[in-house]
Amino acid sequence: FSPSGKRIALGTVTGAVWVWDLPTGRLTLVGQHDPPKGRDPWVGAVRLVAFDGEERVTSVGGAGELRVWRVDRPGRKELLHTFSGPVTVPAILSPDGMWVGAIPERPDQKQFTVELVSFPDARSTRMFTFDLTEIPHRLAFSRSGQFLAVALRKVGQPDLDPTVTFYQERGGRVLIYDL
């Protein structure tokens, strides 16, 4: 929702970023993320969409691009940052609006990474690395935005069963970082 609550931003599996104006019912395509080169189109899916004020929408596409779109000028985009690889799981914006976090996929990597980019200026980045025995699987910020939780799963461990109430019950672990 926008700060006024009058608009909803939506991201699709095809990479489209839409804004729905609730009072008028108008749906506007404000931008389009492209999939990474040589990958299936679904890999270009929007991994994060959030309002930055009333007239700007921030999104992360599957190719790893952090973009800002103007609601009043559809199609006009600003590239803030490119993560080190495609982003195939949800990216997140901290509740205080200071950080965008993502888990980029890097096939040539020697370790797994979690990347944070300062928002809205993208002037500062933080990277957390993990050896190849554990995969960063999900991210969560504390309500204040001061702490980042990283859920890790062992390589070869299947995705989590949605009935599991706490991540560690399936042999994963959660690390907490003070930002």
Side-chain angles (χ1 to χ4, degrees):
F1 283 91
S2 66
S4 70
K6 294 180 180 180
R7 293 177 170 161
I8 297 175
L10 311 158
T12 71
V13 71
T14 61
V17 177
W18 295 86
V19 171
W20 181 17
D21 187 80
L22 298 174
T24 66
R26 186 176 63 231
L27 192 61
T28 304
L29 176 65
V30 295
Q32 176 73 44
H33 284 278
D34 295 321
K37 290 184 184 239
R39 301 289 295 267
D40 290 330
W42 71 267
V43 180
V46 176
R47 306 300 178 184
L48 167 73
V49 63
F51 276 94
D52 174 27
E54 197 66 31
E55 296 295 327
R56 292 168 36 111
V57 175
T58 301
S59 63
V60 173
E65 296 174 330
L66 171 61
R67 295 195 178 275
V68 174
W69 311 89
R70 297 281 314 207
V71 175
D72 58 347
R73 289 186 243 161
R76 191 138 191 249
K77 59 188 173 189
E78 176 185 350
L79 178 64
L80 290 183
H81 178 78
T82 301
F83 290 99
S84 61
V87 176
T88 57
V89 297
I92 60 171
L93 176 65
S94 63
D96 61 2
M98 300 289 292
W99 295 99
V100 173
I103 304 170
E105 176 186 281
R106 295 176 22 206
D108 60 339
Q109 64 197 12
K110 304 215 181 319
Q111 57 196 4
F112 293 110
T113 60
V114 168
E115 295 179 32
L116 295 181
V117 178
S118 62
F119 188 78
D121 61 11
R123 290 187 184 157
S124 177
T125 59
R126 306 245 343 238
M127 187 175 291
F128 303 94
T129 58
F130 306 91
D131 67 31
L132 294 178
T133 62
E134 295 180 304
I135 301 170
H137 189 63
R138 292 289 186 264
L139 305 175
F141 282 103
S142 64
R143 185 175 294 209
S144 68
Q146 181 179 348
F147 298 99
L148 172 70
V150 179
L152 301 168
R153 66 179 169 93
K154 292 182 184 349
V155 171
Q157 176 184 351
D159 284 342
L160 290 179
D161 177 343
T163 63
V164 174
T165 56
F166 190 68
Y167 195 80
Q168 291 174 316
E169 291 178 13
R170 282 288 298 261
R173 66 186 186 125
V174 178
L175 302 178
I176 308 292
Y177 294 94
D178 185 343
L179 303 177

